[in-house]
Amino acid sequence: MTEELFLPDRRTVIVGAAAAALLIAAPTDAKEGPAMYGLIGKMRAQPDKRGDLIAILLQGTDAMPGCLAYIVAEDVEDADAIWITEVWTDEASHKASLKLPAVQAAIAKGHPMIAGFDSQTVLRPIGGVGLKRG
């Protein structure tokens, strides 16, 4: 009785390796815990008020429970545009932050300097450099 040796073709090996890599790298809720909550939004400041509005947005951001990242950035091609990137442990933490006295004060102070909001996208952050789970 002779046994034949199965030798897969190159395509089978590549597809199998790719599938294995995806399975190994894929996050699982059981290991990682609840999904994080993220937002990326573009805010438009009143003309010549972007710097002042950014200063207000950055006040007291270190005291927001559940906030893993809060990044405010100037748009280099639009003098009035501000991009805000947020990562939270969960959506509830983000909603709770909007009720904090410091955040309410910043909203009231900054409101007259806001011309509008161009876009906002809700995300489910997975990980990355500098992002630590809470």
Side-chain angles (χ1 to χ4, degrees):
M1 178 171 165
T2 62
E3 289 184 33
E4 289 186 33
L5 182 61
F6 172 71
L7 295 175
D9 64 3
R10 183 174 180 214
R11 182 171 183 234
T12 302
V13 171
I14 291 171
V15 170
L22 288 173
L23 288 173
I24 291 168
T28 61
D29 288 341
K31 286 184 182 178
E32 301 293 329
M36 290 183 279
Y37 180 78
L39 297 168
I40 296 178
K42 184 177 181 183
M43 178 186 291
R44 184 160 302 285
Q46 295 289 348
D48 300 319
K49 293 295 182 183
R50 181 168 78 174
D52 296 333
L53 183 53
I54 287 173
I56 291 167
L57 291 170
L58 292 173
Q59 290 175 358
T61 58
D62 57 341
M64 296 189 295
C67 184
L68 303 176
Y70 184 84
I71 301 166
V72 178
E74 295 178 334
D75 189 312
V76 297
E77 295 182 6
D78 184 340
D80 297 324
I82 301 167
W83 288 91
I84 303 166
T85 304
E86 304 175 51
V87 179
W88 297 84
T89 54
D90 52 41
E91 187 176 5
S93 294
H94 173 259
K95 286 183 180 180
S97 75
L98 298 174
K99 296 176 184 174
L100 293 171
V103 173
Q104 288 290 313
I107 290 170
K109 189 175 180 181
H111 190 266
M113 295 179 214
I114 299 171
F117 297 89
D118 287 356
S119 65
Q120 181 178 30
T121 302
V122 176
L123 308 166
R124 184 176 58 236
I126 302 302
V129 174
L131 182 60
K132 305 290 186 215
R133 282 189 160 275

